[in-house]
Amino acid sequence: MTGPEQRLREALEARAASVTYKDLRPPLPPSAGGPLVRMLRRGVKAAGLLGLAAALAAVMLMLSDAPERSPAQVPAPSRTPAPHRPSATPGTSAAPTPSPDVPRPEGPEPRAG
């Protein structure tokens, strides 16, 4: 053996002799997953966060494109209600009077009678 090999061997033996059973710790149980499982868990978390961010961005985009309506911009009803004509009660022979919204026909007035 050469000089450097001899010195290396003596150093390793001295180090090995300095370690006792009190320096050793009990063995750890195996973990639930190795590096592959940890990497997959990180990927799932990252994908979940990216999905959440995309959904939030979509909602914000839809809300920003929605037209804002004020009470003045509410459209009016397209149909006007028909005029109400009172019905004649039994025992009266009065002719119904036209409402002011309905134009009166030209010609002689009908006689009551």
Side-chain angles (χ1 to χ4, degrees):
M1 249 192 271
T2 63
E5 290 178 356
Q6 182 66 31
R7 282 184 291 180
L8 181 60
R9 181 175 295 265
E10 290 172 0
L12 289 175
E13 287 175 1
R15 178 72 179 139
S18 69
V19 177
T20 64
Y21 73 93
K22 292 180 182 178
D23 297 326
L24 300 176
R25 61 181 175 176
L28 294 175
S31 64
L36 180 63
V37 172
R38 284 190 296 257
M39 187 172 64
L40 286 175
R41 284 184 185 159
R42 285 185 199 140
V44 168
K45 288 178 186 176
L49 289 175
L50 286 175
L52 183 63
L56 182 63
V59 167
M60 295 297 289
L61 183 64
M62 288 187 337
L63 289 178
S64 68
D65 286 346
E68 295 182 21
R69 288 184 179 241
S70 67
Q73 293 176 343
V74 175
S78 61
R79 230 177 91 199
T80 57
H84 176 69
R85 296 186 184 197
S87 61
T89 57
T92 62
S93 61
T97 58
S99 69
D101 294 343
V102 178
R104 295 182 62 172
E106 301 277 334
E109 297 261 345
R111 292 187 185 198

